Amino acid sequence: MKTNRLLMTMLATAMLSLATSAQTITGKYDIPKVPEWARNAVFYQIYPQTFCDSDGDGIGDLKGIISKLDYVKSLGVDAIWFNPFFDSPFNDAGYDIRDYYKIAPRYGTNEDAKRLFEEAHKRGMHVIFDYVISYTAIDHPWFVASQKQEKNKYSNYYIWTETNWVDPPQEFAGQFVKGYGQRNGQFMRNFYWCQPALNFGFANPDPDQKWQLPTNHPDVMAMREDLKNVLRFWMDMGADGFRADMAGALVKTRRIRGNEQFFNTNENETKLFWREIRRLLEKEYPQGFMVAEWSYPSDALDNCFHVDFFHWFKGYNDLFQKESWRILNGVSEGHSYFDAEGKGDVREFLRSYMDQYQKTVGKGYISLPMGNHDNARLGNKRTDKELEIVYAFGFTMPGVPFLYYGNEIGMRQLPTSWPQVEGAYQPRNGARTPMQWSQDKNLGFSTGDASKLYLPVDPSPDAPNVATQEKNPNSLLNKTRRLIALHHSEPALANYAEFVPLYPSAEGQDPYPFVYARAAGNEVVLVMLNPRAEASDATFPISIAFKRTKLLAGDRFPITRNKKTGNVTISMPATGYAIVKLE
């Protein structure tokens, strides 16, 4: 999350009482303009390296994924997001792409990818790929050509200064790499040094810095067209859309905004590019779906994307991640809301979330992912019941749910001593370990020698696995399936249904439990979450009358309504939750 934006959000919402943000349940909703298949979709994220190894070399591959598609379908999900599977030197686990048109040999071939798409479609699932276009690998042919001193087609495909001997302006301090290749210049990197930034131009180029090209420069436009052709290639192969890595970090600017000096992006010009892509899809691939890693929905959903991940901001860490940083890094502060300690507070999340939700209702979806490849696993010192409460939240909030592979069985975050592979430093490496399919060799991930595995498997004797949990109707796996089915079966839990936070609603209230309503027409569902290991009571108003409640999932506990005041009082057990329909 960009710090200046966090401050703007906090300032904009500082005077906003959660009690006034929306407690009137109307049942009204707007369905964003998205492909029909995606209106109420649930996604499953697969990390190709560690999902299933079909040939025993210790690395997951596309044939392995194909062999597990029936399992993925059994979860009840509608679509799969694949992390990058393109040819790469793998300095950043495949996000550094060397050839946009070729599957990495360790995963298989382009024919394998085509078959993967076809087999997913046969099972009624859609697929999106990772569209990584803010940078490439350092040995991508475009960048290799751009290094040459002689001018050529690719000289301006990347951001190069005019000389090695003059430092770039201060606002770009630390972002340039000196002395690489034949060219007398410095190239801009995006994250790691080996990821040269593609040149989308500068929103307001400095006339004294000739290397800062305008966004309409012919070479910039040519590079953009090449990237559009990459998109067309994979859509023609059978993909149903994409997730855009670092979506907001394309067009550069020379302005300093707070401490936002790492990417120096210009949101307005970047939005213009994504609107071009949106128009391309709507014209050529009308069922194509666009997901952004932007984490600022009011920009990302401004006629650009259909979904934005809202996870690079403080409020998201307040939900799930603070314990992970405290446990893994030995820091003394930080408490997540969804933790048995009961020391968290959901209100900072709600302030940030409601600010963006209210600005984007009907324009697109906000996603609060249930884990991903960049964060510590949710199964970090959490019990299955605690994880079930997290998933009850994830599958009942508005927006598009994304479930990270292995979280449905409670795979654990592995320790700080785990190997750090392909740029996956802690906590990323401990969240990218092999999928645990059975109690067989390597937990069913690979028949290869354990020493060859991409990352080691969980060595615990009680490591969760699919085969064991399949046999237990009350396992986390089967409870997750039921929550996904509930998400699909209840109109009030649809991605687009109305969202009304009910408790806590004011400063000074106990932050536990967290209670909200979802509504679609006359259908109203109440979600009550108490992740702390202590019983919690709450009283809050509900604007509609009801005669009874029907438990859809979770625990039974007293729910009473005062007919005179309209207030509802609940008495929740420790580490409990309930999803109930009001009738």
Side-chain angles (χ1 to χ4, degrees):
M1 178 63 191
K2 301 181 178 72
T3 303
N4 72 303
R5 290 199 157 176
L6 175 60
L7 293 173
M8 290 168 62
T9 299
M10 292 176 66
L11 289 172
T13 60
M15 302 304 293
L16 174 66
S17 167
L18 295 178
T20 62
S21 61
Q23 285 204 5
T24 300
I25 302 169
T26 67
K28 297 179 180 178
Y29 59 85
D30 293 310
I31 301 178
K33 185 181 178 183
V34 302
E36 187 173 355
W37 67 264
R39 287 181 178 177
N40 196 32
V42 173
F43 279 75
Y44 186 70
Q45 180 186 349
I46 290 179
Y47 195 64
Q49 290 94 318
T50 50
F51 196 64
C52 183
D53 172 21
S54 72
D55 57 11
D57 67 353
I59 298 177
D61 48 56
L62 300 190
K63 288 181 179 178
I65 294 171
I66 292 170
S67 74
K68 299 297 185 181
L69 286 179
D70 286 338
Y71 166 78
V72 177
K73 177 64 177 178
S74 78
L75 297 174
V77 301
D78 306 278
I80 306 169
W81 160 35
F82 297 104
N83 289 97
F85 41 41
F86 310 104
D87 182 46
S88 169
F90 293 101
N91 292 312
D92 187 15
Y95 274 90
D96 49 328
I97 296 173
R98 179 164 52 203
D99 188 342
Y100 283 112
Y101 294 96
K102 180 184 177 182
I103 294 292
R106 75 184 196 183
Y107 297 139
T109 66
N110 284 21
E111 285 302 310
D112 292 329
K114 184 176 181 180
R115 181 173 167 239
L116 172 59
F117 299 163
E118 291 171 348
E119 292 295 328
H121 292 156
K122 287 179 184 178
R123 292 162 175 79
M125 294 185 292
H126 293 75
V127 295
I128 65 173
F129 68 96
D130 234 321
Y131 192 39
V132 186
I133 62 168
S134 62
Y135 55 85
T136 68
I138 202 159
D139 56 352
H140 190 291
W142 296 351
F143 187 72
V144 172
S146 80
Q147 297 171 36
K148 297 177 180 179
Q149 186 65 24
E150 302 81 16
K151 291 291 184 181
N152 60 73
K153 174 183 177 180
Y154 302 105
S155 295
N156 289 324
Y157 269 40
Y158 298 83
I159 300 174
W160 286 86
T161 62
E162 294 174 90
T163 175
N164 258 304
W165 307 114
V166 178
D167 288 332
Q170 182 60 37
E171 61 262 33
F172 300 112
Q175 286 183 254
F176 281 81
V177 176
K178 292 175 178 282
Y180 190 89
Q182 302 168 353
R183 185 169 178 172
N184 182 15
Q186 305 164 50
F187 72 85
M188 178 181 278
R189 50 95 179 173
N190 256 19
F191 196 68
Y192 295 135
W193 73 273
C194 54
Q195 294 169 328
L198 284 164
N199 193 355
F200 285 82
F202 283 73
N204 53 348
D206 186 339
D208 295 329
Q209 304 287 341
K210 294 181 180 180
W211 55 272
Q212 293 185 14
L213 304 182
T215 55
N216 62 354
H217 188 281
D219 294 348
V220 171
M221 301 299 288
M223 186 275 296
R224 293 184 181 195
E225 288 303 311
D226 272 341
L227 292 176
K228 290 177 184 177
N229 289 333
V230 169
L231 175 59
R232 291 184 175 102
F233 180 84
W234 292 102
M235 295 297 290
D236 289 341
M237 175 121 18
D240 300 292
F242 62 86
R243 172 262 194 186
D245 180 70
M246 294 173 58
L250 301 185
V251 178
K252 311 302 180 186
T253 180
R254 59 189 173 91
R255 290 179 290 123
I256 300 176
R257 300 171 61 185
N259 70 343
E260 186 187 353
Q261 296 183 20
F262 190 78
F263 296 126
N264 293 285
T265 54
N266 183 280
E267 291 78 16
N268 289 331
E269 287 289 339
T270 296
K271 284 194 287 186
L272 293 179
F273 171 78
W274 289 118
R275 287 173 186 164
E276 289 181 30
I277 299 296
R278 176 80 172 254
R279 289 194 296 271
L280 185 157
L281 284 188
E282 289 175 347
K283 179 181 179 181
E284 301 179 31
Y285 310 96
Q287 292 301 306
F289 196 55
M290 298 174 60
V291 180
E293 184 195 38
W294 196 311
S295 212
Y296 203 69
S298 59
D299 274 346
L301 305 181
D302 185 13
N303 294 308
C304 300
F305 291 86
H306 300 112
V307 179
D308 184 27
F309 283 128
F310 199 34
H311 61 319
W312 297 134
F313 78 111
K314 181 180 179 182
Y316 181 82
N317 288 337
D318 287 346
L319 295 174
F320 310 128
Q321 289 293 309
K322 285 188 173 180
E323 263 59 41
S324 297
W325 285 106
R326 185 154 51 86
I327 293 167
L328 296 172
N329 299 307
V331 297
S332 59
E333 297 180 356
H335 298 279
S336 301
Y337 186 77
F338 286 92
D339 191 80
E341 289 182 319
K343 297 179 181 179
D345 196 331
V346 77
R347 283 170 290 202
E348 182 59 45
F349 159 75
L350 275 177
R351 290 187 183 96
S352 299
Y353 180 83
M354 290 305 295
D355 171 69
Q356 292 296 300
Y357 176 74
Q358 291 166 346
K359 290 175 180 176
T360 57
V361 169
K363 295 181 179 180
Y365 294 123
I366 296 173
S367 178
L368 301 166
M370 286 168 274
N372 67 22
H373 60 291
D374 283 332
N375 283 321
R377 278 202 181 269
L378 298 175
N380 191 0
K381 307 294 185 181
R382 289 190 174 98
T383 65
D384 282 0
K385 184 56 182 286
E386 292 173 78
L387 288 173
E388 185 183 352
I389 296 172
V390 170
Y391 302 160
F393 168 80
F395 290 118
T396 61
M397 283 291 286
V400 178
F402 276 75
L403 179 66
Y404 188 49
Y405 84 97
N407 280 359
E408 72 273 17
I409 59 172
M411 280 179 60
R412 298 162 181 156
Q413 175 71 22
L414 296 182
T416 55
S417 60
W418 230 238
Q420 300 185 141
V421 179
E422 297 183 354
Y425 305 104
Q426 189 63 249
R428 289 176 171 181
N429 58 338
R432 299 179 181 183
T433 55
M435 180 67 177
Q436 297 161 196
W437 295 104
S438 67
Q439 292 177 311
D440 298 333
K441 181 180 181 180
N442 299 320
L443 297 183
F445 165 71
S446 172
T447 60
D449 188 89
S451 63
K452 296 181 179 180
L453 298 187
Y454 181 82
L455 279 167
V457 297
D458 187 340
S460 307
D462 63 342
N465 67 83
V466 171
T468 299
Q469 293 195 20
E470 289 278 17
K471 301 173 185 176
N472 178 3
N474 291 314
S475 65
L476 180 62
L477 170 61
N478 283 313
K479 288 182 177 180
T480 302
R481 284 174 168 147
R482 289 196 284 272
L483 286 170
I484 294 172
L486 183 64
H487 172 91
H488 283 128
S489 65
E490 290 296 324
L493 295 180
N495 297 356
Y496 46 78
E498 183 184 28
F499 171 66
V500 183
L502 298 171
Y503 188 94
S505 61
E507 299 299 332
Q509 285 185 331
D510 189 330
Y512 293 88
F514 180 29
V515 182
Y516 51 89
R518 301 293 312 283
N522 295 324
E523 300 276 339
V524 180
V525 169
L526 200 63
V527 180
M528 297 163 283
L529 309 168
N530 181 35
R532 73 178 174 186
E534 179 183 335
S536 299
D537 299 337
T539 298
F540 49 88
I542 287 187
S543 61
I544 63 169
F546 60 93
K547 295 181 179 180
R548 64 186 68 85
T549 62
K550 178 182 178 182
L551 182 66
L552 302 177
D555 308 297
R556 294 187 182 277
F557 50 80
I559 303 173
T560 59
R561 185 173 189 269
N562 186 315
K563 294 182 180 179
K564 291 184 179 179
T565 64
N567 288 345
V568 170
T569 298
I570 60 175
S571 298
M572 296 193 67
T575 318
Y577 82 97
I579 304 170
V580 302
K581 180 181 284 188
L582 304 185
E583 297 180 331

